[in-house]
Amino acid sequence: MDQLFDLALFNSALRILTPILLAALGGALCARVGLFNVGLEGLMLIGAFTAIVGNHYFENTFLAILFAIVCVCAFSLLFAFLSIHLQANVIVVGIAMNFLALGLTTFSLRTIFHVKGAYYDKEMVGLPKWNIPLIKDIPVVGDIFSGHSPLVYLSIVLAGLLWYYFYRTVNGFRFLAAGSNPLAARTIGIHVRRYQYGAMIACGVLCALAGAQLSLGQVTMFTEGMTSGRGFIALVATMLGQSGPLGVLGASALFGFMDAFSIRLQGVSWPSHFTQMVPYVVTIIAMFFFRDKGFIKDAQNAGSSSR
């Protein structure tokens, strides 16, 4: 049992949950303003690829992340324009964005780097690993929370800030009102579309960070389809957490832990094709117990909240 459960497992879980949490927070923002964003997988994939491209050209991780944010936000605005301005079905647009991202990153990988499948450069520098003073010296806590990239800590802070914004600020109440009842919100002067576009841009930023954590934080390379369904898991985490920041954090922690646990099982000679199923089996089980189907009806109604 000690072989399976130790502090290193929780340390890995914290690192693995980060891209899921970041994307899920983006999904929660969209859901709160009535946009059920199923394109998280594609946005994460574009973020992972453009972070590598930015790192290759600028040779600077900060500029690489900034480049990824700009690129993903452009795709988010395209999503917003189609679904908000042109009133296209958000589910269809989200699925189309996922396929577009998969094809575009594969094409761009061969065009820019002249390789197939994966790109790796031994000279490329990934995100730094931080050891927070004082915390690193605390027994147990230090072993779990030390040695992560800045995005790991940022994701947890963002979950707390988003909770504060939703439930402790006037602007946050207006944001929630824009998704809960758009008609009533408009009658009191709230610019619903402005909040919807803002949510989509914020979602783009978060998905770019999620992709950068995958390609520059966990490894320093890009492989075709490297998100491997994490965007869809983030979508489930959004629904499981009822689009609340703390609920999303808890659901992401569950999926991150199961993902890390599946990797640990491979280390004790369990067949890899079996252990890789674990996070997805947990996702299915979570959806089985998720009985609030109100979000499905709401998602089909473009003018109301999709929580």
Side-chain angles (χ1 to χ4, degrees), residues 106-136:
T106 300
F107 172 77
S108 301
L109 182 67
R110 298 177 185 182
T111 304
I112 297 174
F113 298 114
H114 308 291
V115 295
K116 294 181 180 178
Y119 172 74
Y120 169 74
D121 182 357
K122 63 181 180 181
E123 302 294 332
M124 193 160 50
V125 178
L127 291 171
K129 308 298 181 188
W130 281 5
N131 288 312
I132 301 177
L134 299 179
I135 292 181
K136 69 176 183 179

Side-chain angles (χ1 to χ4, degrees), residues 31-56:
R32 287 286 186 172
V33 290
L35 297 172
F36 190 64
N37 192 347
V38 299
L40 298 178
E41 176 82 2
L43 295 179
M44 281 179 67
L45 189 60
I46 292 170
F49 178 73
T50 51
I52 288 292
V53 173
N55 198 318
H56 174 74

Side-chain angles (χ1 to χ4, degrees), residues 196-208:
Q196 289 177 328
Y197 271 98
M200 282 304 305
I201 292 173
C203 179
V205 173
L206 291 167
C207 286

